[in-house]
Amino acid sequence: MFKNVFGSGFLVRTAHVILTWVITLILFLHDTDLRRQEELGELTLPVLFVLLVLVSVLLYFAVSLMDPGFVLSDDCDLQFTLGVAEETQDMIPQSTKSIRLRRCGRCLVQQPMRSKHCQTCQHCVRRYDHHCPWIENCIGERNHRWFVLYLAVQLVVLLWGLYMAWSGFSHAPTWQLWLRSNGVLLGAAAAVAVLSLTVLLLLGSHLYLVSLNTTTWEFMSRHRISYLKHCGADENPFDRGTLRNLWSFFCIWEPVVWEHVYFKQGNDTI
């Protein structure tokens, strides 16, 4: 279920953890609201902040090390059980939306619909979204919702940290003295501001795509994907309405046979 923590991406994960706790330490060492609350003996705010940072780090490792939904050779048995084995494809009525499952030329497994081979991970991933260099892992069927949750928690931490950094800036009579006394905190605040904007854009884009029941790969490469080539420019065969899309994404954990959804939308039967 989980990757080796010391495998590929170890340096990226280590850098992420070090940066997270270094910035947290800077916020506590300077005269921010966190430090003032701590000195007054009011530990509720500092403890909540540290716990939220810890939760964000744990979610980061969970998403980074989790199996994103690699297509294994025994998935063919599952496909057969669910009625979409390769042998049954000839039973699908031929139409403009009849697509045969194909076999990956690299890892030689039969690719379910919406899966893609990741050249970095060297595996086919079910409901492939993208390969994220930030976590050194693919985002797919099994860890996509956890990735969105991680982004949400991380955004709260970053915005809270940015507010705390702002509360720690001290006044000085000249710019030189101000930079000397606030330089480290200013650097931390700048890093947090850039990360906040990045995470906000990522979270917003993923929530938008989830509400449409499409993936980053499908959105960016629609013209090159065989099962979307025959669809209209504004047609998404997997869209079941915004509320139902969000409900299915966050609340339904069973694997979905996207072939069923695809051909149902096309009024075909399997």
Side-chain angles (χ1 to χ4, degrees), residues 184-238:
V184 175
L185 188 60
L186 179 64
V192 171
V194 172
L195 291 172
S196 298
L197 180 60
T198 303
V199 173
L200 177 62
L201 293 175
L202 276 173
L203 180 61
S205 64
H206 276 274
L207 288 176
Y208 171 73
L209 294 176
V210 166
S211 70
L212 299 177
N213 201 347
T214 191
T215 64
T216 303
W217 173 55
E218 291 170 343
F219 184 79
M220 300 296 294
S221 305
R222 181 185 182 90
H223 62 286
R224 296 192 291 110
I225 299 175
S226 58
Y227 56 83
L228 294 178
K229 283 182 178 180
H230 305 292
C231 300
D234 298 325
E235 182 184 0
N236 177 13
F238 307 110

Side-chain angles (χ1 to χ4, degrees), residues 28 32-50 160 164:
F28 275 94
T32 62
D33 284 349
L34 289 173
R35 181 173 179 176
R36 288 192 285 268
Q37 292 279 336
E38 184 183 6
E39 291 175 346
L40 293 174
E42 300 177 1
L43 301 179
T44 302
L45 188 67
V47 169
L48 283 177
F49 183 79
V50 172
W160 194 355
M164 289 302 165

Side-chain angles (χ1 to χ4, degrees), residues 1-4 13 60-75 121 123-127 135-147 253:
M1 181 179 180
F2 289 94
K3 294 181 175 182
N4 184 352
R13 298 182 189 107
Y60 171 82
F61 273 98
V63 176
S64 178
L65 301 176
M66 185 182 296
D67 175 357
F70 294 136
V71 180
L72 306 176
S73 58
D74 56 0
D75 283 350
C121 295
H123 285 286
C124 288
V125 179
R126 297 179 61 90
R127 197 185 178 276
I135 65 172
E136 274 298 313
N137 196 10
C138 281
I139 304 301
E141 183 178 70
R142 296 189 64 182
N143 67 347
H144 196 173
R145 58 176 59 87
W146 292 108
F147 180 68
W253 296 81

Side-chain angles (χ1 to χ4, degrees), residues 4-270:
N4 184 352
V5 68
F6 298 106
S8 175
F10 173 74
L11 293 179
V12 174
R13 298 182 189 107
T14 302
H16 175 88
V17 173
I18 291 176
L19 180 63
T20 298
W21 290 112
V22 165
I23 292 178
T24 302
L25 183 62
I26 290 173
L27 294 177
F28 275 94
L29 290 178
H30 285 74
D31 191 25
T32 62
D33 284 349
L34 289 173
R35 181 173 179 176
R36 288 192 285 268
Q37 292 279 336
E38 184 183 6
E39 291 175 346
L40 293 174
E42 300 177 1
L43 301 179
T44 302
L45 188 67
V47 169
L48 283 177
F49 183 79
V50 172
L51 286 177
L52 196 59
V53 172
L54 181 60
V55 169
S56 73
V57 171
L58 292 177
L59 282 173
Y60 171 82
F61 273 98
V63 176
S64 178
L65 301 176
M66 185 182 296
D67 175 357
F70 294 136
V71 180
L72 306 176
S73 58
D74 56 0
D75 283 350
C76 295
D77 298 332
L78 176 62
Q79 294 286 330
F80 181 80
T81 302
L82 294 173
V84 290
E86 191 171 11
E87 291 79 2
T88 67
Q89 292 302 303
D90 294 334
M91 299 173 60
I92 299 174
Q94 293 300 310
S95 71
T96 58
K97 295 180 70 173
S98 292
I99 305 295
R100 292 179 64 88
L101 296 181
R102 63 179 183 177
R103 193 169 295 277
C104 179
R106 296 181 177 87
C107 52
L108 302 179
V109 298
Q110 185 173 293
Q111 290 182 323
M113 188 171 284
R114 308 192 81 181
S115 65
K116 182 182 180 296
H117 184 87
C118 176
Q119 296 183 359
T120 304
C121 295
Q122 293 299 311
H123 285 286
C124 288
V125 179
R126 297 179 61 90
R127 197 185 178 276
Y128 176 86
D129 188 88
H130 72 289
H131 182 89
C132 181
W134 185 0
I135 65 172
E136 274 298 313
N137 196 10
C138 281
I139 304 301
E141 183 178 70
R142 296 189 64 182
N143 67 347
H144 196 173
R145 58 176 59 87
W146 292 108
F147 180 68
V148 173
L149 177 61
Y150 160 70
L151 290 178
V153 173
Q154 186 68 68
L155 181 62
V156 173
V157 172
L158 289 170
L159 293 178
W160 194 355
L162 189 61
Y163 172 77
M164 289 302 165
W166 181 266
S167 71
F169 288 123
S170 58
H171 297 284
T174 64
W175 279 105
Q176 291 80 4
L177 291 176
W178 188 89
L179 287 174
R180 185 177 301 175
S181 59
N182 298 288
V184 175
L185 188 60
L186 179 64
V192 171
V194 172
L195 291 172
S196 298
L197 180 60
T198 303
V199 173
L200 177 62
L201 293 175
L202 276 173
L203 180 61
S205 64
H206 276 274
L207 288 176
Y208 171 73
L209 294 176
V210 166
S211 70
L212 299 177
N213 201 347
T214 191
T215 64
T216 303
W217 173 55
E218 291 170 343
F219 184 79
M220 300 296 294
S221 305
R222 181 185 182 90
H223 62 286
R224 296 192 291 110
I225 299 175
S226 58
Y227 56 83
L228 294 178
K229 283 182 178 180
H230 305 292
C231 300
D234 298 325
E235 182 184 0
N236 177 13
F238 307 110
D239 187 6
R240 294 177 283 184
T242 301
L243 293 179
R244 190 174 177 186
N245 291 336
L246 292 172
W247 173 265
S248 299
F249 181 82
F250 288 107
C251 302
I252 297 180
W253 296 81
E254 293 83 3
V256 178
V257 182
W258 293 109
E259 290 82 358
H260 287 175
V261 179
Y262 182 87
F263 288 105
K264 184 178 179 180
Q265 291 289 339
N267 295 322
D268 292 330
T269 56
I270 296 181

